[in-house]
Amino acid sequence: MTRRLLALLAVALGLAVVLLLARGHRDVGYVRDEGIYFHASRAYADWAARGLQSPAVLFDRAARDRAFAVNHEHPALMKLAGGLSARLFSAPGPEGQAPETRAHPGLLPLMPEGAAMRLPAQLLAGLGVALLFLAGAGLARTRRPVLGDISSANPASRADLSSGASKPASAAGVPAPASGPSAPPADLSSETSKAASVAPDSPPLASPSTDDLATALPLPANLSLGAPQLPSQDPAVSLSPLIPAVLAALWFIGLPHVWVHAGLHCFDVPVAVLTLAVVLCYRRALASWRWSLLLGPLLGVAISVKHNALFIPVLLGVHYLACLALAGRRPSRGQLLPLPFLSMAVLAPPTVLALWPWLWSDPLVRLGEYVEFHRLHAYYNTEYLHINYNQPPLPWSYPFVLTWATVPTALLLLAAIGLVLAVRKDLSSRPSADLPPVRFTAPLRGHPARDGLLWALFGLFPLVLISLPTIPIFGGTKHWLTAYPFLALAAASAYVTLWRALAPTGRARHLPAALLPLLLVPALWSTIHGHPYNLSQYAPLAGGARGAADLGLLRGFWGSAVLPLLDDMSQRPGPLYLHDLHELARLQYEREGRWPPGLAAAPLSRARAGLLFHERHMLSNEVDLWNHFNNSTPVDVLTLDDVPLTSLYAGSK
Amino acid sequence: MPLDATRRRAAILLGLVGLVAAVEWIAAARAYRSLLAPADWDAAAAALAALPPDEPVVLADDWLGPVARRHLPALQRSLGRPDLHGAPRFHVLALGEPLTPDLRADLDELVPEPLGVDDLGPLALHHFAAPSGHVLWDILDPPALLTPDGAGACRKVQRAWVCKQGRATVRHAEIAYRPRRCLAVDMNDGAAFELRGRVELGARLRGHLGFSDFNGRLRNDAPAVLELELDGVPRARWLISDSQGWAAFELATTPGPAELTVRVTTLLAGTFTPGGYDPDTRRVPCLDLRALTEPA
């Protein structure tokens, strides 16, 4: 499998995901937060368009603040991108509506305005899938166990990964790896020849490319389970890179809760993808000044998507310090002030500033407001095991149980095995004794990559953070989606490691590929079946939506499960009580001609029909509907596997 | 060829993962489909229609409520029922276990005797007997609503009392995340709502008081005071807070007619917010009170 073919497959898979999201999510209703983001996106894009026509507008503080004051508690990047996407691809709204309540046609009117605004997030989801595919493919390699490009020229630097001691491979009785016939062609990379031709501590000649990402998180050679090593280049144990590539990519995007968030005009999957991108970049930056220079701006972009990214440099710092400590030698001066961290410290802040025009005036004051908003975030209501939580502490088990309930157990088990094996290896491996002197531009060149520590830090931190008793209650699984790409890579790593250790021969050598569907189908089944209500979908062992209702887990939120009720709503007398459907989301339907004409929204006291999105605490609103209509029988109920998601009530009033 | 230790461990781990995945296939086949077809609802409707109309029928699976009520109007009769006291026989429609924790809480020390089960496909109708007396009088029933005291301080408007200090309404309310039908006493801070009248008593007066709704409960913990007098003699006084949920209370009584006075005093009905006390966001105590006979 050539690197080019892998890259093409990654792009194809990413594009397929984008196409499926773009089409499939037209059946997913607009969630509460999207309503305000749509509104903000139009304001931001309008400012940008006016700025293009007359650059003076960009520096007009009043005009800028007017545009970016809308939803200024979140960075502007995704909303700006969504607004610009609408200006490019939005289809016009229905004729006859007032211009302010009608979608404006874009330059290439291909899709409804809301779908166009969702497109940038969907493109990022596609990018994430492609990155995972490439990084997953890299796990099939048996080469490059160390950072930078000297490893392939230095077989002795391969650690014995079985016992924890750092020994040359030959000393452990393991045949020295060679570029044997079974090595994937991708291993015969230019980096091998580069390594032979350049000084070990020289920066790599290649600039960052997609190609490099395929090797961004490789599996160290022959990660053992504690017994004598198998020859890592044994043809019998060679695995197609497609296997871990597909496993990593689908582990992530195949999950119902990832899928549903991936298609929304929101920030959760985009920030998960950018976290992955920053980590992949960091890993390269430890041995390359070019990647270091990219790292800072990339982190800035990630922070400009959502505040979760503010934790990235902290976690990278922990990983870096762990690498230095585990190296077992005194750090050099260059290692104490490494370029990757300098880049993040110096280049990320101006990137954030540049991408968030709200901060251009009074940046410190407004940053302070931003931090305070999230520090003092309002508590959401969330149901957990039949209890409604709306004040801390949330039980520490909450994110872990919710993860189990929404991710198939076999995939989680594989990820856990991958983390244990990789961390155990990372803690025991040492750099070879003949490391060249390092520079601050490549502070860990020649060191073991310690990918397991990276996966563990980024795969567990979001869950641990949410489990802390003092953390505000934010709600559902979307708040720790940033962990999933790393759990996906850990799972793919485990799959490769275990099959390599098992070393099947004969017809059994096809088992790793043949059994892949066994692992992935439960997740894909769950997602396909749950569409377009995957916010309410649960894993098979949790019993799906019905099982979750029995267990007392949250049903859904955001008021998005409404589209199939629109027909029924159009036949009811208005006005309509919207409940958790945000008025701005309703306006978006109206702008696109999807809202029943003439059906106005009203408070319950004046309503003649009403929506109810079922959650434990929403019972309060449901009994209000019963009292108002003097009737507790809904006229229509939207369900997922018998579980009510949304009810439509109507009365004679 | 025997497996060496490494291969054996790898085989065990892969086998474990594969086994879990295989179980997930089976679980997915069970979970990802609808269990209830229209014919099942028809069968349930027929079974419920055959029951005596004065015997409560409750749904074990609360989450199924909206769908079930669409198909089974009979379920509305028992919607918001205060508990399972006062019902010598009751029936539970369930997908699985009939006596859920919520229903056991409603039984409150009553030990039900299973009388039989009708298999209705995915649903089952369970019949129970409970050693409970009958309801002689219910504060929520229109003929039994008592006359307000206070010489015109309150006036009755349909199912509500409109007073100078607030109002009291018979309605459904969310209390402890369950629907209850009760007398919602929405009075100003410190104001009392009082009802008085001649009623037929049994062996005990049993009732509940809880607070609605969840937002109000979050930001106000002040209790309400509930007082009962019989023939002008104070007989009971309870201080009830929202942490008690749907708080049950009982008073032993001598069977026969008596002059009953019920007084509910709301200490603080507003909500505490970061901006201070907001009297307009209400947290309302809701009362249920019934006279019950001894078990037969």
Side-chain angles (χ1 to χ4, degrees), chain A residues 291-627:
Chain A
W291 286 90
S292 290
L293 292 184
L294 179 63
L295 182 61
L298 193 57
L299 175 65
V301 171
I303 294 171
S304 299
V305 169
K306 198 174 179 187
H307 60 269
N308 309 43
L310 290 166
F311 294 109
I312 294 176
V314 179
L315 295 178
L316 294 181
V318 171
H319 177 261
Y320 183 74
L321 290 175
C323 288
L324 289 183
L326 290 168
R329 63 187 69 186
R330 190 189 179 94
S332 69
R333 263 194 302 183
Q335 285 177 317
L336 292 178
L337 191 63
L339 183 59
F341 288 88
L342 210 56
S343 169
M344 286 191 280
V346 173
L347 299 179
T351 307
V352 174
L353 194 64
L355 293 175
W356 194 357
W358 172 251
L359 297 183
W360 294 1
S361 321
D362 294 332
L364 290 180
V365 171
R366 291 181 177 185
L367 267 178
E369 290 171 358
Y370 169 62
V371 171
E372 279 300 282
F373 175 85
H374 291 286
R375 198 176 65 81
L376 302 172
H377 197 282
Y379 300 134
Y380 292 171
N381 287 278
T382 190
E383 183 182 4
Y384 179 58
L385 303 178
H386 295 290
I387 296 174
N388 184 67
Y389 289 92
N390 49 15
Q391 56 185 332
L394 199 58
W396 66 267
S397 59
Y398 176 78
F400 302 101
V401 170
L402 258 287
T403 299
W404 165 79
T406 54
V407 180
T409 306
L411 295 182
L412 284 177
L413 188 58
L414 204 55
I417 293 170
L419 288 182
V420 169
L421 292 178
V423 169
R424 199 179 71 158
K425 188 278 304 175
D426 280 355
L427 295 179
S428 61
S429 60
R430 298 283 180 274
S432 68
D434 57 348
L435 268 184
V438 292
R439 295 177 176 176
F440 94 105
T441 53
L444 290 183
R445 175 185 292 274
H447 285 243
R450 306 195 198 281
D451 297 321
L453 285 178
L454 268 180
W455 301 335
L457 280 168
F458 282 86
L460 298 179
F461 174 78
L463 284 91
V464 171
L465 183 69
I466 292 286
S467 73
L468 295 179
T470 53
I471 291 295
I473 293 173
F474 284 112
T477 53
K478 77 191 192 89
H479 297 291
W480 58 87
L481 291 184
T482 46
Y484 289 179
F486 303 95
L487 298 181
L489 287 171
S493 157
Y495 201 64
V496 170
T497 306
L498 294 175
W499 280 111
R500 268 206 186 119
L502 191 59
T505 54
R507 284 188 177 179
R509 72 183 188 281
H510 299 300
L511 279 175
L515 293 183
L516 203 52
L518 179 71
L519 294 178
L520 291 171
V521 161
L524 297 174
W525 188 343
S526 162
T527 301
I528 292 167
H529 179 76
H531 185 77
Y533 310 121
N534 275 315
L535 205 56
S536 306
Q537 181 61 295
Y538 283 83
L541 291 190
R546 225 171 16 245
D550 277 334
L551 288 170
L553 300 178
L554 78 167
R555 188 85 52 88
F557 51 101
W558 277 358
S560 59
V562 73
L563 291 179
L565 295 176
L566 291 179
D567 269 351
D568 202 341
M569 283 154 53
S570 69
Q571 295 162 28
R572 305 283 162 193
L576 178 80
Y577 167 64
L578 296 179
H579 188 224
D580 215 22
L581 172 65
H582 200 289
E583 168 63 9
L584 288 171
R586 189 199 69 79
L587 281 173
Q588 190 60 40
Y589 294 126
E590 192 173 79
R591 290 175 65 85
E592 298 166 11
R594 299 164 82 184
W595 189 257
L599 183 61
L604 181 57
S605 58
R606 291 195 289 112
R608 297 179 69 188
L611 289 169
L612 193 284
F613 296 89
H614 293 283
E615 290 182 68
R616 186 173 179 80
H617 66 286
M618 295 302 188
L619 176 64
S620 177
N621 301 111
E622 191 172 18
V623 297
D624 288 345
L625 284 159
W626 299 347
N627 291 323

